[in-house]
Amino acid sequence: MGWCAAAVYRRLHATEVGKVGKHIAERSDVFPRAAWGARSNISIRGFRPAFEARWNVSGLENYVEGLHRLRTAPSGVFATKLFWRDVLDVANERAPGAFETLRMAAPAEVPLESYKKLFEWIANAVPNATWIFLTRRDAVRQAVSNFVAWKTESWRLSEEEERRTTLEPTYDPDLIRRLLSRVLRSNAHWRRFFEANGLTFSEFAYEDLEQDYSGTLRRVFAAAGCPDAPVPQPRLRKQADAAGGGLFKRFAAEFGATHG
C-alpha cells in the first residue's frame, strides 16, 4: 500500500501511506462525522464498487459526484483519504495509460511537470483541499505490519481478526522488501507531488498518535480548520505485535538497520 494523504475541504483531504493512514483514520476516527461529515474514500479498488451499487451509479465522474453530494457534512466539509495508488487510478481512468509508468518509477526520476499534469486530472475530485499527510517514521515496522495484515487479511482489530493475527505468517523477506520499497517510494511520490504543485500540507506520524492520541488529533483538527472538533474515543484497538514482532526483529537483523 502506498502512503496516504487526506484531503479535507470545505470541503477537506487526507493522504496516507499503506496501513498507517488507514489505521489512523479508522482507529481514531480522525475525520469525525459530527464535525466533518461521513468519511469517504475515492479508492477505485476499495469502497467504490459498493458505493456505486448502493447509489445506482457507474463511472468515475458519477461516483465522485455521488461522494460529494452524499458524503458531505451539513457544515459543507468533505473529507476523504487517498493512497498514492488511488491518485494514479483516478488519473489513469480519466487519461487511460498516461500515468501508468509512475507506479514503479523512482520518484527522483519523474519530472515535476508529470506531477503537475497528474494533479490536473484529480483536482476536481478534491477541489481547494486542505492536505494532511499521514506517515510512519519507522518504515520497516510499517512494511512488516503491512505484510502481516496482508497475509492474515486482518486490517483492523476485532475479536475475529485478533484470533487470526495470533498466528504468525510464514516469513517472506522478499515480499517484506517489496512492501518496504513501496512505502518509501509512495512517500517520496507524495512529497514530490506536493512540491511540484505548490501544495501546503500538514504532516502527522503514526508514532505521534500512539504517544499522544488526544493532542495529535487536536493538532490534526486545527490543521484542517476545525480546532473545536471534539476528540472521539478510538473506534478500534491497536493491532498487537504478537504476529509481527518476531518477524520485525528477524527482518531488521537481516536488513541491517531500520529505515525511517
Side-chain angles (χ1 to χ4, degrees):
M1 303 279 186
W3 267 110
C4 135
V8 186
Y9 59 98
R10 226 4 159 256
R11 318 250 192 129
L12 279 172
H13 191 133
T15 67
E16 67 184 301
V17 179
K19 190 184 170 198
V20 171
K22 181 181 183 67
H23 183 79
I24 294 177
E26 293 184 345
R27 176 172 174 264
S28 63
D29 208 353
V30 77
F31 305 129
R33 291 175 177 82
W36 296 3
R39 292 190 316 275
S40 301
N41 192 326
I42 294 180
S43 175
I44 303 301
R45 312 178 194 188
F47 296 103
R48 179 178 168 185
F51 280 139
E52 285 187 329
R54 183 187 307 174
W55 301 336
N56 193 28
V57 300
S58 62
L60 179 62
E61 307 310 321
N62 290 330
Y63 172 62
V64 171
E65 189 279 332
L67 282 177
H68 291 172
R69 179 167 49 87
L70 299 171
R71 307 285 284 184
T72 297
S75 62
V77 173
F78 173 88
T80 188
K81 65 181 180 186
L82 287 173
F83 294 101
W84 181 248
R85 73 178 189 192
D86 294 327
V87 173
L88 296 179
D89 284 346
V90 170
N92 276 309
E93 185 165 346
R94 286 176 163 163
F99 302 98
E100 196 60 39
T101 57
L102 289 184
R103 293 194 189 277
M104 299 304 296
E109 298 174 358
V110 177
L112 292 181
E113 189 62 32
S114 294
Y115 293 107
K116 292 180 181 179
K117 292 179 180 178
L118 186 63
F119 184 56
E120 291 175 4
W121 285 104
I122 70 162
N124 77 326
V126 287
N128 302 315
T130 296
W131 292 86
I132 297 172
F133 188 36
L134 307 177
T135 65
R136 184 165 180 171
R137 296 189 185 97
D138 192 333
V140 174
R141 285 191 184 276
Q142 184 185 343
V144 172
S145 179
N146 285 349
F147 170 75
V148 172
W150 194 343
K151 287 294 186 178
T152 61
E153 298 182 350
S154 178
W155 295 90
R156 64 191 72 186
L157 186 58
S158 66
E159 291 183 2
E160 179 181 356
E161 280 79 16
E162 188 170 19
R163 285 196 298 272
R164 285 189 293 184
T165 55
T166 57
L167 300 176
E168 186 170 293
T170 302
Y171 181 60
D172 187 342
D174 290 336
L175 178 54
I176 296 174
R177 285 190 183 93
R178 292 197 297 273
L179 291 170
L180 175 60
S181 294
R182 182 183 297 182
V183 167
L184 297 174
R185 187 170 61 247
S186 296
N187 271 331
H189 275 306
W190 274 119
R191 295 186 187 282
R192 295 270 290 172
F193 175 82
F194 292 140
E195 176 190 358
N197 292 288
L199 298 172
T200 300
F201 64 94
S202 299
E203 184 171 349
F204 297 91
Y206 169 89
E207 289 84 351
D208 296 332
L209 183 72
E210 289 300 301
Q211 294 172 9
D212 183 8
Y213 172 84
S214 296
T216 299
L217 286 192
R218 289 192 183 96
R219 291 193 294 275
V220 171
F221 297 158
C226 302
D228 298 325
V231 175
Q233 292 297 314
R235 296 175 58 242
L236 300 174
R237 291 184 292 124
K238 176 183 177 181
Q239 287 183 287
D241 289 332
L247 295 176
F248 167 76
K249 291 178 181 178
R250 181 176 177 181
F251 182 80
E254 294 179 4
F255 193 73
T258 297
H259 283 52

